[in-house]
C-alpha cells in the first residue's frame, strides 16, 4: 500500500513546505509529485496533503507517514548501500559530520585513507557540533558523527539517548590555557585557573563555554567572559592581542598556531574524549565500517582507538 517513493515524497513535502520545492529536492517535476500524492492517497484511503492555494501542509495522516519515513528510508538506504557493496555494484557513500576542531586534524587524514583504499567510496563531510551531529545521526541525516565529551559529562549530556548509538573512542584531547606571550604566567610550567580569576576570558562553542564555567566554578570563581567565538583562529588572535585568556584543546594546537600566544598545561589537568558515533545497523555497512576504521587510524598517533 505504501512504497518507498511515496514516503520520500511525503517527507520532502514535510521538509520543504510545497510541491514545487519538494519536486526540486527530489529531482522530479511538480506534476509528478502531485500524481504520486494522489496515488498514495488512493492507496491509503485518506487525504494526506491539505492544499492551501500555493501552499500545502500535511494532514494528521500525512504527518504520521512523514514521521515514520525517517527510520524506514534510513533503513532502506543502509540496506541498499550494504547489498550494493557486497554485490560489487558500488562501494557506497558515507555522510560524515564532525566538530570544527577535528575537521582540520582527524577528518582530513581519515578521508585521505578512505580515498586511497576505496576510490569508489564517496564520503561527504559537514561540520557540526554535538548535540547537532548526534541529532542528525538519529534523524538519518548523517551516517557517522565525530563528537566529544568533557570529563565528568556524557557524550549526549542528556540531550540524546545513547542506547541507540555505537561509539568508538578515538582519543583523549588535553585542554590547555592560552595566554599572550608577554603574560606574567607565560613562562610557568603549569597554571591554576584560580590564578586567572581576574582575567577577561574568551569562550568557544556552547559546550566549551560550559566546560570553562565548570572548571572555573571548581576553582572558586566565575569567569568574566568578554568575547565568544567558535572560530579558534579568532580566539588565538584575541589572546595574542592581550584581550583575554582562553582554553584551547590540543587538536587545535596541532593544526593552527599563533606566535603571539603561549599554551600551558592547567592544574588539575582537563581533557575531552573524542568519539566516532554511528548506529548498530550502519556500522555493518562496509563503507561506514571503512570510515570508522580510517578515523581510528587517523587518531592512532595520539591514542589507542578502542
Amino acid at each position: 500500500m505504501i512504497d518507498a517513493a511515496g514516503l520520500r515524497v511525503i517527507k520532502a513535502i514535510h521538509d520543504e513546505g510545497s510541491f514545487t520545492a519538494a519536486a526540486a529536492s527530489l529531482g522530479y517535476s511538480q506534476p509528478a509529485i502531485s500524481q504520486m500524492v494522489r496515488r498514495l492517497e488512493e492507496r491509503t484511503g485518506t487525504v494526506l496533503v491539505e492544499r492551501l492555494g500555493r501552499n500545502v501542509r500535511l494532514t494528521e495522516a500525512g504527518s504520521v507517514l512523514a514521521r515514520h519515513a525517517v527510520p524506514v528510508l534510513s533503513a532502506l538506504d543502509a540496506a541498499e548501500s550494504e547489498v550494493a557493496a557486497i554485490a560489487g555494484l558500488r562501494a557506497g557513500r558515507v555522510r560524515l559530520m564532525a566538530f570544527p576542531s577535528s575537521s582540520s586534524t582527524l577528518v582530513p587524514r581519515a578521508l585521505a585513507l578512505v580515498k586511497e583504499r576505496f576510490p569508489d567510496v564517496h564520503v561527504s563531510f559537514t561540520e557540526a557540533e554535538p548535540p547537532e551531529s548526534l541529532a542528525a545521526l538519529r534523524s538519518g541525516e548523517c551516517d557517522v558523527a565525530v563528537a566529544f565529551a568533557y570529563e565528568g559529562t556524557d557524550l549526549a549530556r542528556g540531550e540524546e539517548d545513547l542506547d541507540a548509538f555505537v561509539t568508538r573512542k578515538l582519543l583523549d584531547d588535553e585542554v590547555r590555557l592560552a595566554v599572550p606571550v608577554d603574560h606574567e604566567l607565560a613562562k610557568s610550567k603549569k597554571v591554576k585557573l584560580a590564578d586567572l580569576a581576574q582575567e577577561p576570558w574568551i569562550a568557544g562553542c556552547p559546550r566549551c563555554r560550559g566546560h570553562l564555567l565548570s572548571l572555573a566554578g571548581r576553582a572558586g570563581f566565575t569567569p568574566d567572559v568578554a568575547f565568544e567565538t567558535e572560530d579558534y583562529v579568532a580566539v588565538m588572535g584575541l589572546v595574542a592581542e592581550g584581550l583575554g585568556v582562553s582554553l584551547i584543546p590540543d587538536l587545535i594546537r596541532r593544526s593552527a598556531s599563533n606566535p603571539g600566544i603561549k599554551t600551558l598545561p592547567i592544574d588539575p589537568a582537563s581533557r575531552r574524549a573524542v568519539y566516532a558515533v554511528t548506529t548498530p545497523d550502519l556500522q555493518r555497512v562496509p563503507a561506514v565500517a571503512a570510515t570508522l576504521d580510517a578515523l581510528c587510524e587517523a587518531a592512532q598517533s595520539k591514542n589507542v582507538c578502542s
Side-chain angles (χ1 to χ4, degrees), residues 74-158:
S74 179
L76 286 174
D77 288 344
E80 179 184 350
S81 181
E82 185 170 357
V83 169
I86 292 173
L89 299 177
R90 60 183 176 84
R93 60 104 175 99
V94 180
R95 296 163 298 171
L96 173 66
M97 281 191 174
F99 59 95
S101 56
S102 68
S103 65
S104 59
T105 50
L106 292 178
V107 171
R109 180 57 185 155
L111 295 181
L113 289 171
V114 173
K115 183 176 181 180
E116 175 186 338
R117 295 166 181 171
F118 309 100
D120 294 326
V121 170
H122 173 68
V123 183
S124 62
F125 168 59
T126 306
E127 279 192 345
E129 296 276 4
E132 288 82 7
S133 57
L134 298 180
L137 180 61
R138 177 177 297 282
S139 67
E141 296 174 24
C142 79
D143 304 306
V144 178
V146 178
F148 65 89
Y150 285 104
E151 290 174 324
T153 64
D154 65 50
L155 187 61
R157 293 183 63 185

Side-chain angles (χ1 to χ4, degrees), residues 144-293:
V144 178
V146 178
F148 65 89
Y150 285 104
E151 290 174 324
T153 64
D154 65 50
L155 187 61
R157 293 183 63 185
E159 298 164 67
E160 288 287 339
D161 180 7
L162 286 176
D163 289 342
F165 300 139
V166 173
T167 61
R168 293 177 69 175
K169 188 174 181 181
L170 300 178
L171 56 84
D172 287 309
D173 191 25
E174 186 167 356
V175 179
R176 301 175 189 269
L177 176 73
V179 299
V181 291
D182 58 358
H183 193 279
E184 61 181 1
L185 297 177
K187 295 183 179 180
S188 304
K189 292 184 177 181
K190 284 186 178 181
V191 293
K192 294 184 180 294
L193 291 192
D195 295 336
L196 298 113
Q198 303 305 314
E199 298 275 356
W201 285 82
I202 302 160
C205 70
R207 286 195 174 191
C208 303
R209 177 190 172 95
H211 179 59
L212 167 61
L213 294 176
S214 176
L215 289 181
R218 277 181 262 165
F221 71 98
T222 299
D224 172 20
V225 178
F227 303 97
E228 294 185 59
T229 173
E230 296 185 21
D231 183 344
Y232 274 104
V233 174
V235 170
M236 291 182 180
L238 292 168
V239 173
E241 293 296 334
L243 297 173
V245 297
S246 186
L247 296 178
I248 294 183
D250 271 352
L251 276 178
I252 294 297
R253 295 174 59 249
R254 294 173 204 157
S255 62
S257 62
N258 187 310
I261 72 169
K262 181 72 180 295
T263 56
L264 307 165
I266 60 177
D267 183 21
S270 179
R271 297 174 180 83
R272 63 179 184 175
V274 179
Y275 298 90
V277 190
T278 188
T279 68
D281 289 333
L282 287 173
Q283 74 169 342
R284 299 198 304 268
V285 176
V288 172
T291 302
L292 291 172
D293 289 342

